[in-house]
């Protein structure tokens, strides 16, 4: 079995070797055929190369190039020759254009000379270019003159139409004036404006009288208005500060009495709790009710005044901290103008409790007047001075913010109202000022006082 196995292996090896030999013989035969084909191709390529070299040399001979010149170099020469041909053609075109321009220029000169001879003999002898510019300028002027003439003709036509319309309107107005003169009882139309102004003045005075009578009737508390006015005129304004101080002193006394009464009530309530019920308790209860009745009349007024004083002090202190320095100086200047020199300015000064408050400096005497010592109108002028100074300070480097005020001049007399209008007019150069009022005399005062180009009156309907 081992010999058979070896014999089989040997036989398989011989077969594989034989198959390998046959494959190698086939590959050798194929390679021999390929070699023969390659030799024929090489011979053919050598023949083609010889023919191409002869043709290449013949092609390069007209160009003056050597036979060994590479195709890349020959292509570059051909490109340069093509460029030269294009340049020669372009040169010919430019020469033709130049000749055409010369021909056109000569024709233009002939046309200019002919046009000068026909329409502008005064330009004869000048160079054609200058004559052409002069003719163009004259043409533009003539076109402008024609348009202007057409406009004038149209204006003349419209003017005639306007004249006819105005003549008809004048006839209607003449008839209307005659009717108005008859209705107003005026002999001439020239007297109508005077009658109209008198009517407007009477209407304004009636309105002012009604607007004045209404608050006076409220202030008089049922008394006759004439008697109330007479009583008010009899009061000395300079003595009001003293009266106000007296009232403040009385208020302080009442506050002390109230505190004492409250302490008394506390003691009585303590005694009441410590006592039994009986006649003594009833008597104490009556005393308590009596004390409460006495306090009730003054407590409400005391609370209002105390609260108003606290709010006012807090506002003044907050304003002082926020707007010191030049704002206060500016407010003092405005306050002096608004009071027509009655006060020299404003200062910060401690009050009796040591709080810093704003006071006005009385002109001439230098007396420092607190807000409580000022009249209502003067206090309003102080508030307006502070508001305008604050707004001017705000407008420095910021966007304008309009000032809207409503009848702030109600408590002003005519002189101080005029000064306030001047201040507001100056402020209007920096920002818009909108002033609402229902007092016709303030409108009249503003129209008479201010520049018409800066004062605009708008009357609101019902």
């Amino acid at each position: 079995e081992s010999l058979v196995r070896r014999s089989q292996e040997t036989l398989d090896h011989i077969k594989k070797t034989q198959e390998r030999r046959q494959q190698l013989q086939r590959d050798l035969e194929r390679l021999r055929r390929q070699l023969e084909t390659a030799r024929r191709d090489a011979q053919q390529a050598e023949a083609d190369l010889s023919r191409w070299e002869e043709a290449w040399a013949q092609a390069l001979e007209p160009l003056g190039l050597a036979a060994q010149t590479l195709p890349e170099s020959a292509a570059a020469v051909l490109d340069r020759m093509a460029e030269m041909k294009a340049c020669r053609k372009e040169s010919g075109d430019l020469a033709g254009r130049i000749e055409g321009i010369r021909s056109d220029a000569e024709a233009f000169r002939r046309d200019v000379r002919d046009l000068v001879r026909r329409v502008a003999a005064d330009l004869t002898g000048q160079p054609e270019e200058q004559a052409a510019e002069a003719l163009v300028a004259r043409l533009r002027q003539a076109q402008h003159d024609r348009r202007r003439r057409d406009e004038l003709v149209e204006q003349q036509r419209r003017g005639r139409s306007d004249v006819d319309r105005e003549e008809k309107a004048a006839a209607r107005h003449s008839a209307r004036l005659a009717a108005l003169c008859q209705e107003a009882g005026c002999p001439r139309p020239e007297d109508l404006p005077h009658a109209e102004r008198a009517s407007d003045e009477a209407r304004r005075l009636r309105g002012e009288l009604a607007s004045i009578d209404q608050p006076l009737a409220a202030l008089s508390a049922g008394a006759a208005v004439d008697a109330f006015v007479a009583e008010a005129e009899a009061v000395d304004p300079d003595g009001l500060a003293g009266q106000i101080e007296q009232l403040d002193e009385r208020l302080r006394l009442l506050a002390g009495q109230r505190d004492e009464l409250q302490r008394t009530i506390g003691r009585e309530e303590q005694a009441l709790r410590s006592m039994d019920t009986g006649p003594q308790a009833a008597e104490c209860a009556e005393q308590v009710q009596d004390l409460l009745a006495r306090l009730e009349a003054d407590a409400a007024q005391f609370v209002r005044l105390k609260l108003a004083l606290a709010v006012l002090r807090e506002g003044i202190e907050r304003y002082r901290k926020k707007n010191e320095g030049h704002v206060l100086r500016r407010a003092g200047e405005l306050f002096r103008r608004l009071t027509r020199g009655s006060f020299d300015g404003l200062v910060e000064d401690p009050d009796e409790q040591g709080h810093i408050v704003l006071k006005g400096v009385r002109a001439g005497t230098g007396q420092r007047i607190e807000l409580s010592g000022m009249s209502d109108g003067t206090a309003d002028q102080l508030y307006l001075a502070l508001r305008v100074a604050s707004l001017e300070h705000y407008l420095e480097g910021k966007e304008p913010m309009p000032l809207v005020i409503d009848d702030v001049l109600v408590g002003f007399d005519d002189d101080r109202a005029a000064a306030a209008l001047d201040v507001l007019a100056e402020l209007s150069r920096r920002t818009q000022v909108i002033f609402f009022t229902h007092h016709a005399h303030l409108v009249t005062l503003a129209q008479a006082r201010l520049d018409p180009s800066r004062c605009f009156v708008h009357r609101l309907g019902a």
Side-chain angles (χ1 to χ4, degrees):
E1 292 181 358
S2 62
L3 289 176
V4 172
R5 198 165 41 252
R6 287 186 61 188
S7 299
Q8 186 63 43
E9 293 175 354
T10 302
L11 179 61
D12 292 340
H13 178 70
I14 292 173
K15 288 182 179 179
K16 291 180 180 179
T17 304
Q18 187 177 4
E19 291 177 354
R20 177 64 178 165
R21 180 176 180 275
Q22 291 175 355
Q23 180 64 36
L24 290 175
Q25 286 179 348
R26 288 194 295 272
D27 292 342
L28 180 61
E29 184 64 23
R30 180 173 55 77
L31 292 174
R32 285 174 180 171
R33 290 195 299 272
Q34 291 179 356
L35 177 62
E36 185 65 22
T37 302
R39 287 174 179 172
R40 289 196 300 270
D41 293 342
Q43 293 175 358
Q44 182 64 36
E46 289 177 355
D48 294 341
L49 178 60
S50 299
R51 289 194 299 273
W52 181 86
E53 288 177 348
E54 293 177 0
W56 180 248
Q58 293 176 0
L60 295 178
E61 185 176 358
L63 301 178
L65 300 176
Q68 294 78 16
T69 302
L70 296 176
E72 293 80 1
S73 301
V77 171
L78 290 175
D79 292 340
R80 294 296 302 277
M81 293 178 66
E83 292 176 0
M84 292 176 61
K85 184 177 180 181
C87 291
R88 181 180 298 175
K89 182 177 181 304
E90 184 178 359
S91 176
D93 295 340
L94 292 175
R97 290 181 59 190
I98 291 172
E99 185 61 29
I101 291 172
R102 289 174 179 172
S103 176
D104 294 341
E106 183 60 31
F108 173 76
R109 293 190 185 95
R110 288 196 302 270
D111 293 341
V112 169
R113 288 194 295 270
D114 180 63
L115 187 60
V116 167
R117 187 168 50 253
R118 287 189 291 109
V119 301
D122 58 312
L123 299 179
T124 303
Q126 292 188 7
E128 287 78 1
E129 291 79 3
Q130 297 180 4
E133 292 178 358
L135 288 173
V136 170
R138 293 182 182 184
L139 173 61
R140 291 175 179 170
Q141 183 62 38
Q143 292 173 343
H144 177 270
D145 293 341
R146 174 178 291 179
R147 288 193 299 271
R148 182 58 181 165
R149 173 185 173 278
D150 295 340
E151 291 175 358
L152 291 175
V153 170
E154 179 62 21
Q155 290 180 6
Q156 184 181 21
R157 185 189 64 79
R158 290 197 301 268
R160 290 197 184 101
S161 177
D162 293 342
V163 168
D164 295 339
R165 185 169 56 255
E166 293 300 329
E167 288 178 350
K168 294 178 181 178
R172 292 195 303 270
H173 293 328
S174 297
R176 177 61 178 165
L177 281 175
L180 289 175
C181 288
Q182 183 177 0
E183 182 178 353
C186 298
R188 298 176 305 170
E190 292 79 1
D191 298 332
L192 284 175
H194 177 71
E196 183 178 2
R197 287 193 296 270
S199 176
D200 292 340
E201 182 66 16
R203 189 182 305 108
R204 183 184 67 81
L205 292 175
R206 285 193 296 269
E208 289 185 5
L209 184 59
S211 63
I212 293 173
D213 286 343
Q214 184 176 359
L216 285 178
L219 294 173
S220 63
V225 174
D226 295 337
F228 176 72
V229 171
E231 183 181 355
E233 291 176 347
V235 176
D236 184 10
D238 295 333
L240 290 177
Q243 295 180 16
I244 294 174
E245 291 179 358
Q246 293 176 3
L247 292 175
D248 290 339
E249 181 63 25
R250 183 186 175 192
L251 181 61
R252 286 192 291 270
L253 293 175
L254 290 175
Q257 294 176 8
R258 184 206 62 177
D259 295 338
E260 182 63 29
L261 289 173
Q262 286 180 344
R263 287 192 293 271
T264 302
I265 291 173
R267 290 194 300 268
E268 295 295 339
E269 288 179 347
Q270 181 65 27
L272 180 63
R273 285 192 296 268
S274 64
M275 291 186 302
D276 297 331
T277 58
Q280 188 177 2
E283 182 179 353
C284 291
E286 291 178 358
Q287 293 178 3
V288 169
Q289 294 299 323
D290 181 64
L291 291 174
L292 290 175
R294 290 169 57 188
L295 285 174
E296 186 177 0
D298 298 326
Q301 181 67 11
F302 176 82
V303 171
R304 284 195 296 270
L305 294 176
K306 200 67 176 179
L307 180 60
L309 181 60
V311 172
L312 180 59
R313 284 176 177 172
E314 183 181 355
I316 292 176
E317 181 64 17
R318 185 169 60 252
Y319 185 88
R320 183 187 66 83
K321 292 180 180 179
K322 185 178 180 181
N323 300 283
E324 292 180 321
H326 66 279
V327 174
L328 185 60
R329 289 194 297 272
R330 177 57 178 162
E333 296 172 2
L334 295 174
F335 186 53
R336 182 174 59 253
R337 292 178 57 186
L338 293 174
T339 59
R340 306 295 290 178
S342 178
F343 287 83
D344 282 340
L346 299 172
V347 294
E348 292 176 331
D349 205 12
D351 61 2
E352 296 177 358
Q353 287 76 27
H355 301 293
I356 299 298
V357 297
L358 198 62
K359 296 183 179 180
V361 180
R362 178 72 72 178
T365 63
Q367 181 184 3
R368 298 186 175 186
I369 308 299
E370 293 186 5
L371 184 65
S372 59
M374 300 179 185
S375 65
D376 292 343
T378 304
D380 291 344
Q381 289 140 27
L382 173 59
Y383 296 150
L384 180 59
L386 291 172
R387 178 60 57 86
V388 173
S390 300
L391 184 56
E392 289 179 350
H393 177 64
Y394 173 85
L395 292 176
E396 294 177 2
K398 296 183 178 65
E399 291 291 331
M401 180 176 64
L403 174 63
V404 183
I405 50 181
D406 185 9
D407 261 345
V408 74
L409 308 182
V410 172
F412 292 25
D413 57 32
D414 288 345
D415 289 341
R416 297 191 178 188
L421 290 174
D422 292 341
V423 170
L424 295 177
E426 292 175 3
L427 181 62
S428 69
R429 299 182 183 277
R430 302 180 61 183
T431 188
Q432 186 181 23
V433 177
I434 302 175
F435 176 51
F436 291 92
T437 181
H438 62 278
H439 294 285
H441 73 281
L442 292 178
V443 178
T444 304
L445 181 61
Q447 291 175 328
R449 184 83 179 181
L450 305 181
D451 184 1
S453 63
R454 303 192 61 80
C455 177
F456 305 90
V457 178
H458 301 276
R459 300 185 183 275
L460 303 181

